Amino acid sequence: MDTDRRRVLNLAALVESLRAQGGQEVLTNPDLPPCPLCGALAFQGYGFRSPSEIEHDCNCQFQQPQDYLQGIHRAWRGYNAPKLLLADLENYPHYQEYLGRSLIVHQGNLAAISAGKKYRQGLLYLWGPPGVGKTHLALRLAAELVRKGRFVRFRSELDLLAEEREAATSEETVLPSYERLVLDDWGKSRLTPFTTERLYALIEGASAGRFDLIITSNYTPEASTTRLGEVGEAVVSRIRGGLVVQIEGPDRRST
């Protein structure tokens, strides 16, 4: 980029010039992430819905463009990942508090908590009877991941399949996709050939490493996949190829 064009695009220099001349001050927004290199505040009027939708009161974007862009991408993920998960949980209001509530540790969930601390990617299957804290643990894992700037979505199996059906019958035939997904209450839906195919595709995609998947279920992998008919055995194999952990304990919803 030539020197003259750099001078035109350098908004920070323009702002300083306005200030020096007594021009109107450009406001900043302390709620947006600051410059990742020097800490300068972001200008007001940006939503940061994409990495490019932000400007800072400094010259770093032009003086160190590569380092600045790398830092901005990290900041963008860190800023938006928690919002994405919270938006999903608006449909599950009783689960929102799980993000901030500590787990009650007991003998029945020690193995699952240990597995959760080691979990980084791939397929994790948490199973056990109702009310033992499977969803709580899954969401605590999700909260830790979003703090690291990783995008995590949350859906119950019923809601995911409803979205898949709606997407398939709309004019826009693009089916939902995920980087990381917490799929809650696996094994409960009545299936059609289409939804069976979609659940198989979900497990196959996670098994192949295209995205990460955390599943909660009341059933063992074998018991949960008998409903899938001829693809059930293949689904069990892929689930068992990930990390399968049982959670035991009393039903805390009834206490």
Side-chain angles (χ1 to χ4, degrees), residues 61-95:
Q61 180 178 359
F62 310 100
Q63 294 175 344
Q64 304 175 69
Q66 185 173 354
D67 292 340
Y68 177 84
L69 288 175
Q70 289 176 350
I72 282 297
H73 274 82
R74 289 192 297 269
W76 174 71
R77 283 184 163 272
Y79 181 76
N80 286 287
K83 291 186 174 185
L84 196 64
L85 181 59
L86 286 173
D88 283 349
L89 291 180
E90 288 179 359
N91 296 318
Y92 309 89
H94 291 303
Y95 292 164

Side-chain angles (χ1 to χ4, degrees), residues 40-56:
L41 292 177
F43 291 131
Q44 198 174 82
Y46 294 89
F48 210 22
R49 288 178 289 271
S50 68
S52 62
E53 194 186 342
I54 195 168
E55 293 282 353
H56 291 99

Side-chain angles (χ1 to χ4, degrees), residues 17 23 42 50 72 79 84 100 113 127 134 137 146-147 149 151 156 169 174 181 187 190 192 204 212 232 244 250 254:
S17 175
S50 68
I72 282 297
Y79 181 76
L84 196 64
I113 292 173
W127 71 276
K134 301 181 298 296
L137 176 56
V146 299
R147 274 194 289 270
F151 291 128
S156 70
T169 56
V174 178
L181 173 66
R190 292 182 178 180
T192 66
E204 195 278 331
D212 301 324
V244 178
S254 62

Side-chain angles (χ1 to χ4, degrees), residues 124-135:
L124 173 61
Y125 189 96
L126 304 170
W127 71 276
V132 295
K134 301 181 298 296
T135 302

Side-chain angles (χ1 to χ4, degrees), residues 124-195:
L124 173 61
Y125 189 96
L126 304 170
W127 71 276
V132 295
K134 301 181 298 296
T135 302
H136 190 177
L137 176 56
L139 283 172
R140 293 292 296 177
L141 290 175
E144 185 62 28
L145 290 169
V146 299
R147 274 194 289 270
K148 297 175 181 177
R150 300 177 182 177
F151 291 128
V152 184
R153 310 304 304 271
F154 182 92
R155 294 288 188 278
S156 70
E157 183 186 81
L158 286 169
D159 287 341
L160 178 132
L161 291 178
E163 288 182 2
E164 297 269 349
R165 291 188 196 96
E166 183 177 354
T169 56
S170 69
E171 293 182 2
E172 299 178 4
T173 57
V174 178
L175 295 173
S177 61
Y178 310 93
E179 279 190 16
R180 291 167 191 86
L181 173 66
V182 174
L183 183 63
D184 195 45
D185 223 9
W186 165 273
K188 297 291 184 65
S189 303
R190 292 182 178 180
L191 302 181
T192 66
F194 170 78
T195 53

